[in-house]
Amino acid sequence: MRLHVAAVHSPLPLDQVGTSICPARPVKAAPLAGVGAILATTLDPARFPPGVRAGLSTAPGPGRAWREARTALRFTTPRQPIVRYDDLGVVALLADVPEDAIRDNADVTAIAALAETPDDLETLDAYCTTGSLRRAADLLHLHHSSVARRIDQLGKTLGVDLTQPAGLTRARLALNAWRLLHA
């Protein structure tokens, strides 16, 4: 049986979160180094209460699972509050890049400048999350042509063609790296 580990940021008490995600199952919850730690034999990610962010891991061994869960927590966003370490794949490697290297990267610097305008950052995030103008427009409650204009302008600002797979990948990686600096 694998141990499920969650690294949690929550406005709710950890024991309340634990019983929400592990009903009728044994669960241990405690604060650890400024992060909530939840250990359980099983948990339901769909049952996390609103407002909770969590990184999840089921790696063999509690030490490795805790490290992976904390890494996954760093990749959570308001749009994606629950992240499984295994779902990160190669993106998890960004967590090992020194902060100075991330901060000095031109793409990350460009994202930081965009972050000063929340609408621009939200548009880029929605587009990077969905990979589609129409789905991003649905998330943002805008017409797809408005999102297309914004993405075109954001691409010019970033110096990247966001409509091309390589440009979208580059923007996604830069956005994830920027978030790591602020996690």
Side-chain angles (χ1 to χ4, degrees):
M1 177 184 326
R2 288 201 159 212
L3 177 67
H4 295 261
V5 176
V8 178
H9 281 225
S10 173
L12 303 172
L14 282 177
D15 59 341
Q16 184 179 342
V17 175
T19 56
S20 293
I21 62 173
C22 308
R25 294 287 201 177
V27 61
K28 297 291 183 191
L32 184 62
V35 176
I38 298 176
L39 290 81
T41 56
T42 185
L43 62 81
D44 183 354
R47 295 182 59 102
F48 275 97
V52 174
R53 289 190 183 192
L56 308 177
S57 176
T58 57
R64 179 175 166 191
W66 176 238
R67 280 190 306 277
E68 288 182 0
R70 284 185 319 190
T71 296
L73 177 63
R74 293 178 65 198
F75 286 93
T76 62
T77 67
R79 200 175 311 276
Q80 188 176 10
I82 311 302
V83 173
R84 294 175 190 265
Y85 181 85
D86 289 344
D87 292 343
L88 290 172
V90 72
V91 174
L93 296 175
L94 287 175
D96 295 330
V97 175
E99 285 187 11
D100 287 343
I102 292 173
R103 200 174 288 108
D104 293 342
N105 180 272
D107 288 348
V108 176
T109 301
I111 295 290
L114 277 183
E116 295 176 13
T117 308
D119 286 347
D120 287 346
L121 190 63
E122 185 177 11
T123 300
L124 183 63
D125 176 56
Y127 183 64
C128 285
T129 298
T130 64
S132 159
L133 291 172
R134 289 191 186 276
R135 289 192 309 236
D138 287 344
L139 281 177
L140 297 168
H141 306 292
L142 296 170
H143 193 272
H144 71 276
S145 63
S146 297
V147 173
R149 278 191 299 279
R150 285 185 182 186
I151 292 300
D152 182 56
Q153 185 58 45
L154 290 171
K156 289 175 183 172
T157 300
L158 295 172
V160 174
D161 184 351
L162 296 171
T163 64
Q164 295 299 310
L168 181 57
T169 298
R170 201 169 140 185
R172 282 179 176 151
L173 289 171
L175 189 57
N176 277 312
W178 175 80
R179 284 189 183 120
L180 287 174
L181 292 175
H182 302 284

